[in-house]
Amino acid sequence: MLDLIVRNGNLSDGRKGMDIACRDGRIVELAPAIDARAAREIDAGDRLVTAPFVDAHFHMDATLSYGRPRVNRSGTLLEGITLWGELKPQLTHDAIKSRAHQLCRWAIARGNLAIRSHVDICDPELLAVKALLEVREEIRPFLDLQLVAFPQDGYLRDPKAAVLLQRALDLGVDVIGGIPHFERTMADGARSVRLLCELAADRGLPVDMHCDESDDPLSRHVETLAYETQRLSLQGRVTGSHLTSMHSMDSYYVSKLLPLMREAGLHAVPNPLINITLQGRHDAYPKRRGMTRVPELMAAGINVAMGHDCVMDPWYPLGSHDMLEVAHMGLHVAQMTGTDQMQAAFACVTDNAARVLGLQGYGLEPGCNADLVVLQAADPIEALRLRAVRTHVVRRGQVIAEAKPQITMLHLNGDTETVDFTLSPTQPEPEQSL
Ligand code: FE2
């Protein structure tokens, strides 16, 4: 007897009518019309079944703190950092945990079952680190939370940061962070990248830096990050997050930079909702978009994932932790409206993000974890178009979230009809109806 069968699912790679059989937390078979019975059956009804969404970049310590102690009036990154500095002395262990658990519940409802969250270590008490380490363990049955030791005030600029970062790692934080563009000088930024990568090599840990989150085309710390990754043989373990200065860089220089990033096996993580909001703030018109060069990075063979970065915090007043909203914004900002490009945008919040986190057992194949999401959409592109309802979220073969499909009743000319915005198989193809 199986624990669960999901029947008649469309997969993101184009396969249709697939059944997925799960036992003891694993996918045991993936095939059309599996002849078996299970404790629970879900009829996907020719809708998309995908491996869970993954958020490759988030800030769980700041989330859901919007308006405390005040709102970000200028809307800039730097006022956000100042505001976070004002909020930090007011934080409590319990408040951080309660906001983080709330966010995790939103994430699970949206089918996001893995999050890499940066956590600010520039606090002598390491309050947020200790709170989020507890949350990581408490939420583990439902969601993989990976923590990055993030020196928000600068690894070198804040004289306490180096010791605190080591202490955070000793407590069990998973990844080494950094913020080279926030150091006092370009030289200090480069030195921070070198020191942090050496620490990662010593400790055998991955690296994920806020790198060049700036409109300054001369902010080139990603070049140093690629160099140190290569020098220390950290290939595949290092991520450059944001990389917004690449938007403004000279294209000749970028043509040299991309192969260096590829050689180093860097992962790139833009955060479209935040980049389009925070970058270009000092521009008159025309205003730069500020997101990194996603299609060009992909064409160079670099793994690109997208992160949510913020939900209702000092930097961003909106959001509900919906990775489809992230990919939707990302494909618009990057002008990725080709069919393959939209598919690629979907991968940025699923498969590619799982590679950034190094998730084991991720995917819809026999032997993988029985983690999946059923959506009210036929395929990834329709899911993006509609930011579709996640009707079922499954973790280790158990349904952990369910939602009713979104259907609206219309009352027109005395009749009642339903609208659900999907192009269901029973409806004519668009060209036939013209
Ligand atoms: Fe960030």
Side-chain angles (χ1 to χ4, degrees), residues 57-59 118 150 210 213 241-242 271 274 309-310:
H57 186 112
F58 195 64
H59 293 263
H118 297 251
F150 175 45
H210 284 67
E213 189 179 3
S241 280
H242 289 293
N271 298 286
I274 308 312
D309 202 8
C310 302

Side-chain angles (χ1 to χ4, degrees), residues 89-359:
Q90 301 178 16
L91 295 174
T92 67
H93 180 87
D94 289 350
I96 294 168
K97 281 190 68 175
S98 131
R99 290 190 282 101
H101 272 293
Q102 181 68 45
L103 192 283
C104 287
R105 278 154 176 76
W106 289 4
I108 290 165
R110 297 291 196 194
N112 314 331
L113 300 189
I115 300 174
R116 173 178 278 185
S117 172
H118 297 251
V119 49
D120 185 0
I121 54 86
C122 293
D123 154 29
E125 305 301 320
L126 292 177
L127 202 65
V129 168
K130 291 171 185 166
L132 291 184
L133 283 167
E134 287 182 19
V135 172
R136 184 183 71 182
E137 300 314 309
E138 289 158 6
I139 206 69
R140 192 187 292 279
F142 314 108
L143 182 150
D144 296 303
L145 177 60
Q146 202 176 72
L147 298 176
V148 185
F150 175 45
Q152 172 77 74
D153 299 334
Y155 184 63
L156 297 172
R157 188 167 170 176
D158 179 344
K160 306 182 304 302
V163 169
L164 290 170
L165 192 135
Q166 293 268 13
R167 274 179 46 205
L169 298 177
D170 290 342
L171 289 171
V173 170
D174 309 281
V175 181
I176 294 176
I179 185 165
H181 55 277
F182 194 67
E183 303 292 353
R184 285 197 168 84
T185 63
M186 290 289 184
D188 265 8
R191 193 154 68 92
S192 77
V193 172
R194 176 170 62 78
L195 293 171
L196 289 161
C197 286
E198 286 174 352
L199 186 59
D202 283 350
R203 287 188 174 248
L205 291 176
V207 174
D208 188 338
M209 285 193 197
H210 284 67
C211 194
D212 304 321
E213 189 179 3
S214 162
D215 293 318
D216 176 3
L218 297 179
S219 187
R220 295 176 170 187
H221 297 296
V222 62
E223 179 186 87
T224 310
L225 189 63
Y227 172 78
E228 294 297 339
T229 303
Q230 181 92 3
R231 182 175 73 86
L232 297 162
S233 300
L234 299 174
Q235 286 90 340
R237 282 165 46 187
V238 178
T239 299
S241 280
H242 289 293
L243 304 174
T244 52
S245 73
M246 285 184 72
H247 186 91
S248 301
M249 281 175 185
D250 172 68
S251 290
Y252 180 81
Y253 172 69
V254 173
S255 74
K256 179 197 171 197
L257 176 63
L258 289 171
L260 294 174
M261 292 172 67
R262 171 73 183 92
E263 238 175 58
L266 285 192
H267 304 279
V269 179
N271 298 286
L273 293 164
I274 308 312
N275 300 151
I276 195 69
T277 309
L278 293 185
Q279 303 309 133
R281 285 271 176 169
H282 296 270
D283 290 0
Y285 289 97
K287 289 180 190 288
R288 283 169 287 181
R289 292 162 185 239
M291 192 172 77
T292 196
R293 304 187 186 203
V294 173
E296 292 78 7
L297 285 160
M298 288 178 165
I302 294 158
N303 182 46
V304 181
M306 291 177 183
H308 208 307
D309 202 8
C310 302
V311 170
M312 300 186 74
D313 69 9
W315 296 273
Y316 187 61
L318 302 172
S320 63
H321 211 265
D322 183 349
M323 295 311 295
L324 282 173
E325 196 175 309
V326 170
H328 185 265
M329 177 62 79
L331 77 87
H332 280 79
V333 177
Q335 300 181 326
M336 291 170 57
T337 45
T339 307
D340 291 349
Q341 291 178 312
M342 290 190 282
Q343 288 278 154
F346 188 84
C348 285
V349 293
T350 51
D351 296 354
N352 299 3
R355 282 175 63 197
V356 171
L357 271 69
L359 294 179

Side-chain angles (χ1 to χ4, degrees), residues 20-22 25-30 363-371:
I20 304 168
C22 309
R26 300 259 169 199
I27 295 172
V28 292
E29 193 179 355
L30 180 81
L364 290 190
E365 293 299 334
C368 291
N369 293 327
D371 298 350

Side-chain angles (χ1 to χ4, degrees), residues 372-388:
L372 55 87
V373 181
V374 185
L375 292 108
Q376 188 188 1
D379 55 43
I381 293 172
E382 190 167 70
L384 284 164
R385 180 173 67 82
L386 300 176
R387 273 81 78 218

